[in-house]
Amino acid sequence: MPGVVVLDYGSGNIRSAQRALARVGAEVTVTDDLDAALAADGLVVPGVGAYAACMAGIEALGAGPVITERVTAGRPVLGICVGMQILFEYGEEHGVVTKGLGLLPGGVTRLAAQRVPHMGWNTVEPATNSVLFAGLPEGSRFYFVHSYAAADTVALAGAGARVTTSRHGNPFVAGVERGPLSAAQFHPEKSADSGATLLRNWLGTL
């Protein structure tokens, strides 16, 4: 069984991620131990709520360099929801710009839609040759809860990323795969069989 650490830096929704990963075959540890996070076969960075609060938690724990070191060393990392957003260069909320980890190009801004937050089930347009979405039928739906997202697919593609998109008002980035770094704007742990397949696919890369 691959060993996965779900990073506990004060963000919510950790236990549901733990249970979902265990169901698809991972040996899961929830911890704030940075040595364990560095050594694990796979590291999951969860996140809910405000971008600035999540970055403050990451910084207080000193986890940013560990996440960066894993990616640089080719060791798998999966960011979920705001845990995906903080991988970008910055997030802008209510006119306040917060620096992110800078592992992905571009920023996270408010969704360009009449109704925000985007909450509920939605389809995605998987990237060509996606590993995360392999085996999922067309029209598979995932569970989203967010008011902000990355939208610069050109910058991501130019950086060699496979980009999966969804649409709420305008298109936005729903998933990213770039070397050892994977990310999902939606919550795979809340996305029933589709989410379980995605997590199983990610475990297959460890």
Side-chain angles (χ1 to χ4, degrees):
M1 296 172 67
V4 174
V5 161
V6 177
L7 186 64
D8 183 1
Y9 63 94
S11 176
N13 204 42
I14 289 177
R15 297 301 171 183
S16 58
Q18 178 188 22
R19 290 191 295 270
L21 286 157
R23 280 196 297 269
V24 296
E27 183 177 336
V28 189
T29 303
V30 175
T31 183
D32 61 0
D33 185 322
L34 296 181
D35 289 334
L38 188 60
D41 297 324
L43 176 65
V44 174
V45 182
V48 294
Y51 189 107
C54 285
M55 273 307 303
I58 290 288
E59 290 169 356
L61 184 60
V66 171
I67 298 169
T68 300
E69 183 176 345
R70 282 191 63 95
V71 173
T72 301
R75 298 182 61 77
V77 172
L78 173 65
I80 295 175
C81 196
V82 186
M84 165 181 167
Q85 294 178 2
I86 62 174
L87 301 172
F88 286 85
E89 293 171 323
Y90 68 90
E92 182 177 351
E93 295 177 331
H94 309 295
V96 177
V97 176
T98 302
K99 184 179 179 182
L101 296 179
L103 295 170
L104 294 171
V108 173
T109 55
R110 186 174 171 85
L111 289 166
Q114 288 186 338
R115 189 176 70 252
V116 176
H118 174 213
M119 183 180 298
W121 297 85
N122 205 348
T123 58
V124 301
E125 185 65 36
T128 302
N129 298 322
S130 169
V131 173
L132 288 181
F133 295 89
L136 282 162
E138 185 176 353
S140 293
R141 299 171 74 83
F142 298 88
Y143 191 77
F144 292 83
V145 184
H146 64 123
S147 298
Y148 299 85
D152 193 345
T153 59
V154 175
L156 285 167
R162 297 186 182 118
V163 184
T164 291
T165 59
S166 187
R167 177 181 286 272
H168 182 70
N170 290 338
F172 65 88
V173 178
V176 178
E177 299 163 70
R178 183 188 181 198
L181 189 58
S182 302
Q185 177 59 66
F186 51 86
H187 288 277
E189 75 279 9
K190 296 182 178 180
S191 296
D193 290 345
S194 296
T197 296
L198 183 140
L199 291 175
R200 193 177 294 110
N201 287 343
W202 180 69
L203 289 184
T205 70
L206 306 186

